[in-house]
Amino acid sequence: AGAGTQVLPAGQTLNASGTTGLTMALMAQGLQRLYDRGVVVNPLDFTYVHSPNALRDILEDSGATAFTSTDFTNSNVMQAGVVREFMGFSWIMLPDKAVNTETGILPIVESTDRIGTYMFHRNGVGLAVWNRVSAAIDKRPDKNNTTQVLVKTHIGAVRIEDELVIEILVDNSES
């Protein structure tokens, strides 16, 4: 309910051919496009949403020494196995497949096995959370009286300014 897609303008997509994985050059190009929009740069106003394959690609990128070396960053990517912050972005990794489904969370271009990853400024997207959260705890007699917890709420997100959202298409094939 309420789910849908709206294609970004062509100028907001990088690596449209999707023939390469994520590289430092693509990250820098996307960041430059956001800076060119005149956004105020504050720490962690930027978010990058990526797939596990995109993380693998950038760790294998020969230009990514600054990404993995403690000489350039205090984020020890190689020990943690995840990236929390880098290049002014909060990094969020979403799994390739939603739990118990074959559907990916990030959009995949079916014919080419490219996956969309997104960088955005916080003013480019909006999030609404309804204050009314309902919770219920009950026992399930059909499951040996196992406790069942149910929490419900309504949440919605929308792109507010296309210019503050950059899509980077990356090769999603296993290497």
Side-chain angles (χ1 to χ4, degrees), residues 55 59 68 74-85 93:
L55 178 61
L59 289 173
T68 56
N74 60 1
S75 172
N76 199 337
V77 175
M78 299 310 286
Q79 283 186 348
V82 296
V83 180
R84 289 183 180 80
E85 300 169 8
M93 182 167 57

Side-chain angles (χ1 to χ4, degrees), residues 27 43-50 55 58-59 67 73-93:
M27 289 297 298
L44 304 181
D45 274 354
F46 297 104
T47 301
Y48 179 61
V49 180
H50 63 92
L55 178 61
I58 200 161
L59 289 173
F67 189 79
T73 179
N74 60 1
S75 172
N76 199 337
V77 175
M78 299 310 286
Q79 283 186 348
V82 296
V83 180
R84 289 183 180 80
E85 300 169 8
F86 186 72
M87 289 180 68
F89 288 91
S90 292
W91 287 52
I92 299 173
M93 182 167 57

Side-chain angles (χ1 to χ4, degrees), residues 6 8 12 34 39 44-49 89-90 92 117-129 155-167:
Q6 177 67 34
L8 280 166
Q12 297 303 109
L34 289 173
V39 296
L44 304 181
D45 274 354
F46 297 104
T47 301
Y48 179 61
V49 180
F89 288 91
S90 292
I92 299 173
T117 64
Y118 299 89
M119 55 176 46
F120 58 90
H121 187 272
R122 69 185 198 116
N123 292 339
V125 291
L127 175 67
V129 179
I155 299 173
V158 67
R159 235 179 17 240
I160 297 171
E161 286 188 58
D162 285 344
E163 294 77 22
L164 299 180
V165 178
I166 305 290
E167 177 182 48

Side-chain angles (χ1 to χ4, degrees), residues 109-140:
V109 179
E110 298 296 330
S111 60
T112 61
D113 203 25
R114 294 177 295 165
I115 194 165
T117 64
Y118 299 89
M119 55 176 46
F120 58 90
H121 187 272
R122 69 185 198 116
N123 292 339
V125 291
L127 175 67
V129 179
W130 191 29
N131 263 348
R132 187 170 177 196
V133 177
S134 63
I137 300 174
D138 204 356
K139 289 189 177 192
R140 300 240 346 232

Side-chain angles (χ1 to χ4, degrees), residues 37-74:
R37 303 302 190 263
V39 296
V40 176
V41 180
N42 289 317
L44 304 181
D45 274 354
F46 297 104
T47 301
Y48 179 61
V49 180
H50 63 92
S51 69
N53 284 350
L55 178 61
R56 179 205 62 216
D57 291 340
I58 200 161
L59 289 173
E60 292 174 353
D61 180 21
S62 61
T65 304
F67 189 79
T68 56
S69 172
T70 55
D71 291 339
F72 298 97
T73 179
N74 60 1

